Amino acid sequence: MLSVLLKPKDGFFFYFELTDGRCVSGGGLGEDGLLRSDVPDCYRDLMLRALVSKCMNDFVPEVRARGEWGCDLTRFGFEKRDDLFVSSWDKLKLPHDCAGK
């Protein structure tokens, strides 16, 4: 069974712990404003969506990410600035791929 739970963790404004029944990994918004994750590739999109949703709901004024998420971060409302992707709660979005289906 897959679960994503909000847990306190030092160095993070918020942190989600992902458990798939075999291993535990996680990700969150670091105190430096960067989205971070150590989840396996197969769950990276799920973690990114959980983090983006939390940033939107908590009105995070600025959130940054590196291009290591394995997807196009501009679809989530980020814009590329130098070597980072940057956004704010009001520009973030949760894209879906069901248009036209």
Side-chain angles (χ1 to χ4, degrees), residues 11-51:
F12 288 86
F13 288 118
F14 57 81
Y15 184 83
F16 287 101
E17 187 176 274
L18 184 144
T19 306
D20 69 358
R22 292 180 314 229
C23 66
V24 177
S25 54
L29 179 62
E31 290 177 347
D32 59 1
L34 271 172
L35 293 181
R36 299 174 182 216
S37 176
D38 66 356
V39 300
D41 290 346
C42 60
Y43 299 130
R44 199 168 285 159
D45 185 71
L46 172 64
M47 180 57 70
L48 180 59
R49 288 175 181 280
L51 296 173

Side-chain angles (χ1 to χ4, degrees), residues 59-98:
F59 307 106
V60 175
E62 183 177 275
V63 58
R64 297 173 301 179
R66 298 196 192 284
E68 59 200 25
W69 288 89
C71 65
D72 178 8
L73 291 174
T74 61
R75 292 182 61 229
F76 289 84
F78 288 91
E79 66 179 44
K80 181 103 165 108
R81 291 192 199 158
D82 299 320
D83 63 337
L84 293 175
F85 290 86
V86 181
S87 192
S88 59
W89 71 270
D90 57 332
K91 294 184 176 133
L92 288 170
K93 53 189 170 184
L94 295 170
H96 53 84
D97 296 321
C98 60

